[in-house]
Amino acid sequence: NAGVTQTPKFRVLKTGQSMTLLCAQDMNHEYMYWYRQDPGMGLRLIHYSVGEGTTAKGEVPDGYNVSRLKKQNFLLGLESAAPSQTSVYFCAGRRGLAGVDTQYFGPGTRLTVL
Amino acid sequence: GQQVMQIPQYQHVQEGEDFTTYCNSSTTLSNIQWYKQRPGGHPVFLIQLVKSGEVKKQKRLTFQFGEAKKNSSLHITATQTTDVGTYFCAGGNRGSQGNLIFGKGTKLSVKP
């Protein structure tokens, strides 16, 4: 079991460039999440998905788009990167079962926008 | 919107000293979860509390959920260098599709 994986691990972009971050999971997670983590700001939810083919906005969705065409994968897109999007991005998933329902996080993608 | 406040932001302790971080929500929570993030790592689940007044222990870690289900604390007894990292609380609400609102975290450093 690979768990929750993210690619790439690091990326440097120039302002205006686009990129896609991939999150993949083999844990049969129904729910998947994209967070960004900035110093002193904790984890802020960008977008999330409650199942294959569905997506919804979180707390800070502007400048990002997502897709969940397959249950295992959740993609985060930046159409026109800005320096304010320099951050560490974490993907997480959870099964959506009753009881203890842990979020399992991927290792993160460190993105710098120049 | 709902907010989860966590204090302190930083805590520096001598190895062997105790450590406590506190979490307060602006609204009543259905559950609260705690995560630990080691430097350079990703958040890892520690525990979930659901019941009013609940107390759970994991070795040297004690977690409490307030009677009103609006606050929580994590206490570490006799810290060790392996406790270094950032501790996050995350509050869940029934109406939020299971989404969590994370506190900003408490960064713990332990001097040997």
Side-chain angles (χ1 to χ4, degrees), chain A residues 31 33 35 37 39-45 48 50 56-57 59 90 94 99-108 110, chain B residues 9-10 31 33 35 37 40-48 50 56 86 88 96-105:
Chain A
Y31 294 70
Y33 305 87
Y35 294 93
Q37 185 175 38
M41 296 297 291
L43 291 156
R44 292 185 292 170
L45 183 63
Y48 65 100
V50 301
K57 293 180 180 180
E59 179 188 356
F90 287 103
R94 72 180 180 95
V100 180
D101 201 10
T102 309
Q103 287 195 19
Y104 294 87
F105 284 80
R110 189 173 294 275
Chain B
Q9 191 173 358
Y10 302 97
N31 69 82
Q33 298 183 6
Y35 291 78
Q37 184 178 23
H42 59 275
V44 174
F45 175 82
L46 292 176
I47 208 160
Q48 175 175 289
V50 178
K56 286 189 176 180
T86 301
F88 293 96
S96 66
Q97 295 184 306
N99 292 354
L100 297 172
I101 303 295
F102 281 81
K104 293 184 179 180

Side-chain angles (χ1 to χ4, degrees), chain A residues 25-102:
Chain A
Q25 53 91 6
D26 60 2
M27 302 177 74
N28 200 29
H29 289 158
E30 201 64 39
Y31 294 70
M32 295 186 75
Y33 305 87
W34 275 108
Y35 294 93
R36 61 177 289 172
Q37 185 175 38
D38 303 294
M41 296 297 291
L43 291 156
R44 292 185 292 170
L45 183 63
I46 305 172
H47 285 280
Y48 65 100
S49 168
V50 301
E52 181 180 311
T54 73
T55 62
K57 293 180 180 180
E59 179 188 356
V60 288
D62 294 342
Y64 304 95
N65 56 74
V66 288
S67 66
R68 184 116 181 255
L69 298 179
K70 290 183 178 180
K71 185 177 183 177
Q72 311 93 294
N73 300 332
F74 195 28
L75 280 64
L76 178 70
L78 286 74
E79 289 187 351
S80 179
S84 60
Q85 294 178 304
T86 293
S87 188
V88 180
Y89 291 86
F90 287 103
C91 174
R94 72 180 180 95
R95 288 195 179 89
L97 302 175
V100 180
D101 201 10
T102 309

Side-chain angles (χ1 to χ4, degrees), chain B residues 48-83:
Chain B
Q48 175 175 289
L49 304 171
V50 178
K51 298 177 183 175
S52 170
E54 190 169 15
V55 178
K56 286 189 176 180
K57 292 191 176 184
Q58 290 179 350
K59 296 183 181 178
R60 294 178 295 104
L61 279 62
T62 302
F63 304 84
Q64 294 188 347
F65 200 10
E67 294 289 341
K69 300 182 75 172
K70 295 181 74 173
N71 58 73
S72 182
S73 65
L74 158 59
H75 179 81
I76 302 178
T77 303
T79 54
Q80 298 175 358
T81 55
T82 53
D83 295 325

Side-chain angles (χ1 to χ4, degrees), chain B residues 4 11-12 14 17 36 38 46 61 64 97-98 112:
Chain B
V4 174
Q11 186 79 56
H12 310 281
Q14 193 77 33
E17 291 181 339
K36 177 183 179 180
R38 294 183 187 276
L46 292 176
L61 279 62
Q64 294 188 347
Q97 295 184 306

